[in-house]
């Protein structure tokens, strides 16, 4: 990631733009003499010194606080100097450039994204899951996500993983001892209740995996696409869910020409709602481009809300739309504009509740000529119809609850820590290896060495989460996503 992991590094640690305070951070080995020369006085450890920031010619560039944190008791585990001055971009750049000029002799260079936190990981101040939690805390988009990110940073997730790893290591030690001394003819599985202990570890891992999946939803949210014919109320529904007018709504079909994306939160879960152009045949070049983009968004969706006008629930074009929806993506049929139904007319009966998915029949002979096929394959529909009014708000609470169910979120639940996709994959890999070990446990006379190997692989999968076994390439990917100065 960097030219050298021992070079002194420097960066502006506060966000770009104007602010009341700006922070410049320096980290490296043995910085005390350089920091004293830069500041013009000795710096007491972890003590705020108010002083002018002068350049080599004696000109005062700014004034503020200097704080020195000797390693290893610092964020990075190295000596760290922080200069806290005024938050104007120009003044921060002047101080930064002076520091770089005066630090040339010791090899001071600009830090790369995430390099301060990477050094904290390399110097064992944080494990990898905690280091990732630093970025998650900065990027948290809800109070629940921030709380869970803080729990991860404090080590709650890592403690769960370490406890699981320790139990697997203890079981491995017993297996390896048995393999090293086969002449003792120990019936390992029976004497040490290995199968029962393995079952207990697996049950604990299952609980951690469930919590991790909740944490993944809390961190990444759900990509929801509103699809349907023109003028069925997609933009009105987006505005209703967002609580503000983020999309233009008119009675004119084809008003929405391009996608509109809005993030909302339901019980702290981020939902990325995408309003798309109405799906229909058109000769309008601009609208056709919008429709092509709509199909592209539908292909990427995690959940599709297929909106229909409640007054025309059996429109053949809707059947044609459903036929082209991507296979395997949950689809909710949403009958909008319930408020416009004739009060004397019976409302369309909803399908049986539930989220089991069934094949949707193709278009009938009465269907219009097919639209350009987006190449998504035959669609799937969810065996559920929701009746709403985006204008009055009727049915929106039920819709929100259904979206949480599809996301796998338990209402009222909150993950004690955030998780990433790689964490979930590692836990799933460990679970698969434990399952294979359990199969081998039934044939200990023949494959005890395979039992031991599966335990080893499960242990390695868990250690990938905290970074005990991690490739340099993965570290580069993780830390390059951080902001500069952190």
């Amino acid at each position: 990631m960097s030219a050298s992991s021992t070079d002194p590094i420097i960066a502006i640690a506060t966000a770009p733009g104007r602010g009341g305070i700006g922070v410049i951070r320096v980290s490296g080995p043995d910085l005390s003499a350089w920091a004293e020369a830069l500041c013009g006085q000795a710096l007491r450890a972890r003590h705020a010194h108010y002083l002018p920031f002068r350049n080599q010619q004696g000109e005062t560039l700014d004034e503020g606080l200097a704080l020195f944190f000797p390693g290893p008791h610092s964020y990075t585990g190295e000596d760290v100097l922080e200069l806290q001055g005024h938050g104007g971009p120009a003044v921060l750049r002047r101080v930064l450039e002076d520091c770089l000029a005066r630090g040339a002799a010791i090899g001071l260079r600009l830090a790369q994204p995430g390099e301060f936190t990477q050094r904290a990981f390399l110097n064992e101040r944080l494990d990898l899951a905690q280091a990732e939690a630093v970025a998650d805390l900065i990027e948290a988009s809800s109070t629940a996500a921030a709380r869970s990110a803080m729990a991860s940073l404090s080590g709650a997730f890592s403690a769960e993983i370490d406890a699981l790893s320790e139990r697997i290591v203890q079981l491995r030690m017993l297996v390896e001892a048995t393999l090293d001394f086969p002449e003792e003819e120990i019936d390992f599985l029976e004497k040490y209740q290995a199968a029962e202990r393995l079952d207990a570890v697996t049950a604990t891992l299952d609980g951690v995996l469930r919590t991790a999946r909740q944490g993944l939803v809390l961190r990444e949210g759900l990509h929801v696409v509103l699809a349907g014919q023109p003028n069925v109320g997609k933009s009105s529904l987006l505005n209703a869910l967002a609580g503000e007018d983020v999309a233009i709504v008119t009675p004119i079909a084809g008003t929405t020409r391009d996608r509109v994306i809005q993030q909302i939160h339901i019980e702290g879960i981020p939902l990325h709602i995408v309003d798309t152009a109405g799906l229909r045949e058109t000769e309008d070049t601009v609208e056709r481009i919008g429709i092509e983009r709509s199909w592209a968004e539908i292909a990427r969706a995690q959940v599709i809300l297929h909106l229909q006008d409640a007054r025309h629930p059996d429109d053949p074009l809707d059947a044609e739309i459903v036929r082209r929806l991507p296979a395997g993506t949950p689809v909710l049929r949403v009958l909008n504009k319930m408020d416009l139904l004739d009060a004397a007319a019976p409302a369309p009966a909803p399908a049986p509740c539930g989220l089991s998915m069934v094949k949707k029949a193709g278009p009938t002979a009465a269907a219009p000529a097919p639209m350009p096929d987006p190449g998504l394959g035959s669609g799937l529909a969810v065996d559920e119809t929701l009746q709403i009014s985006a204008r009055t708000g009727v049915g929106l609470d039920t819709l929100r609850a259904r979206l949480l169910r599809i996301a796998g979120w338990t209402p009222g639940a909150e993950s004690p820590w955030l998780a990433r996709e790689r964490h979930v994959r590692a836990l799933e890999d460990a679970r698969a290896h434990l399952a294979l070990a359990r199969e081998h446990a039934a044939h200990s006379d023949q494959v005890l060495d395979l039992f031991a190997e599966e335990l080893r692989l499960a242990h390695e999968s868990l250690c990938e989460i905290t970074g005990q076994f991690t490739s340099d390439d993965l570290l580069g990917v993780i830390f390059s996503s951080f902001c500069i100065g952190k």
Side-chain angles (χ1 to χ4, degrees):
M1 179 175 176
S2 59
S4 170
S5 60
T6 59
D7 291 342
I9 55 175
I10 185 171
I12 297 173
T14 40
R18 294 178 176 84
I21 298 174
V23 177
I24 292 175
R25 176 179 290 163
V26 187
S27 178
D30 304 320
L31 287 180
S32 56
W34 179 84
E36 182 176 336
L38 179 76
C39 296
Q41 65 180 73
L43 300 177
R44 286 177 54 194
R46 292 171 292 280
H47 181 83
H49 301 79
Y50 180 72
L51 46 82
F53 302 150
R54 295 192 176 97
N55 62 16
Q56 297 180 79
Q57 291 73 42
E59 177 189 2
T60 299
L61 305 177
D62 193 10
E63 57 184 18
L65 300 178
L67 297 95
F68 185 69
F69 304 88
H73 304 296
S74 69
Y75 179 70
T76 63
E78 303 173 327
D79 288 353
V80 172
L81 173 68
E82 287 193 358
L83 303 177
Q84 301 180 7
H86 295 93
V91 67
L92 284 172
R93 278 198 306 272
R94 293 186 72 195
V95 175
L96 176 68
E97 289 167 0
D98 179 68
C99 288
L100 282 169
R102 299 174 71 171
I106 62 171
L108 183 66
R109 61 172 175 81
L110 287 172
Q112 297 183 22
E115 195 167 2
F116 289 95
T117 307
Q118 185 190 36
R119 293 193 176 192
F121 166 70
L122 294 175
N123 293 325
E124 300 183 352
R125 296 291 293 167
L126 302 169
D127 65 35
L128 193 55
Q130 289 175 295
E132 289 169 309
V134 173
D136 292 338
L137 183 60
I138 293 171
E139 296 172 2
S141 58
S142 69
T143 301
R147 187 182 300 115
S148 294
M150 191 64 231
S152 293
L153 179 57
S154 300
F157 184 24
S158 301
E160 297 265 14
I161 299 303
D162 290 342
L164 268 173
S165 297
E166 179 61 27
R167 292 169 67 180
I168 293 176
V169 167
Q170 291 176 0
L171 197 52
R172 286 183 62 194
M173 289 171 58
L174 294 175
V175 180
E176 297 293 342
T178 302
L179 291 172
D180 289 341
F181 302 101
E183 65 277 3
E184 296 184 9
E185 297 182 356
I186 298 175
D187 188 345
F188 165 76
L189 294 175
E190 182 175 346
K191 180 173 181 178
Y192 294 105
Q193 297 182 312
E196 291 78 1
R197 294 174 68 170
L198 181 59
D199 289 343
V201 171
T202 301
T204 302
L205 190 150
D206 286 342
V208 174
L209 182 55
R210 283 192 298 271
T211 306
R213 286 173 176 151
Q214 295 277 75
L216 180 63
V217 171
L218 186 57
R219 179 181 182 271
E220 298 189 357
L222 203 63
H223 188 68
V224 181
V225 174
L226 310 181
Q229 297 186 52
N231 237 9
V232 293
K234 298 186 297 298
S235 297
S236 295
L237 178 57
L238 174 64
N239 291 342
L241 291 173
E244 57 180 311
D245 291 337
V246 296
I248 298 172
V249 176
T250 76
I252 303 171
T255 297
T256 302
R257 297 296 187 95
D258 202 356
R259 64 180 184 174
V260 178
I261 303 175
Q262 179 71 18
Q263 185 182 85
I264 67 170
H265 289 86
I266 302 176
E267 292 197 15
I269 303 300
L271 291 160
H272 312 285
I273 310 292
V274 184
D275 181 19
T276 60
L279 305 174
R280 67 172 178 177
E281 285 291 320
T282 180
E283 298 300 324
D284 186 301
T285 302
V286 176
E287 189 178 358
R288 284 181 66 87
I289 294 173
I291 291 171
E292 290 173 2
R293 292 182 178 180
S294 295
W295 282 115
E297 283 296 331
I298 289 169
R300 291 190 291 267
Q302 292 176 293
V303 180
I304 299 169
L305 300 186
H306 179 204
L307 266 71
Q308 297 177 239
D309 192 322
R311 298 168 296 177
H312 312 289
D314 299 317
D315 191 315
L317 184 55
D318 284 314
E320 176 67 12
I321 291 172
V322 169
R323 188 186 70 81
R324 277 188 208 85
L325 296 178
T329 302
V331 180
L332 289 178
R333 182 182 184 228
V334 180
L335 296 181
N336 189 27
K337 304 189 180 182
M338 295 298 295
D339 54 302
L340 299 183
L341 285 175
D342 187 344
C353 288
L355 294 176
S356 58
M357 294 195 291
V358 297
K359 283 286 184 180
K360 184 75 175 180
T364 65
M371 294 177 288
D373 192 337
L376 302 175
S378 59
L380 291 176
V382 173
D383 184 19
E384 182 174 25
T385 297
L386 302 181
Q387 299 174 346
I388 71 165
S389 169
R391 187 177 69 85
T392 66
V394 170
L396 293 188
D397 286 343
T398 301
L399 175 58
R400 294 185 181 100
R402 294 297 188 271
L403 290 173
L404 289 179
R405 281 176 56 190
I406 293 174
W409 184 259
T410 303
E414 183 173 313
S415 172
W417 28 260
L418 289 190
R420 297 188 171 204
E421 181 66 33
R422 78 169 194 90
H423 302 154
V424 173
R425 286 200 306 269
L427 288 167
E428 289 173 342
D429 288 345
R431 179 64 174 81
H433 288 303
L434 292 185
L436 288 174
R438 188 65 177 87
E439 291 181 15
H440 295 319
H443 308 285
S444 59
D445 293 340
Q446 295 85 7
V447 289
L448 190 56
D449 54 340
L450 295 180
F451 180 85
E453 176 65 8
E454 294 300 338
L455 290 180
R456 183 187 69 81
L457 293 172
H459 180 228
E460 286 191 358
S461 294
L462 292 178
C463 289
E464 288 176 1
I465 295 173
T466 54
Q468 294 182 43
F469 301 126
T470 307
S471 70
D472 290 339
D473 288 343
L474 177 61
L475 292 181
V477 170
I478 289 173
F479 289 108
S480 64
S481 66
F482 281 47
C483 56
I484 293 176
K486 197 58 180 174

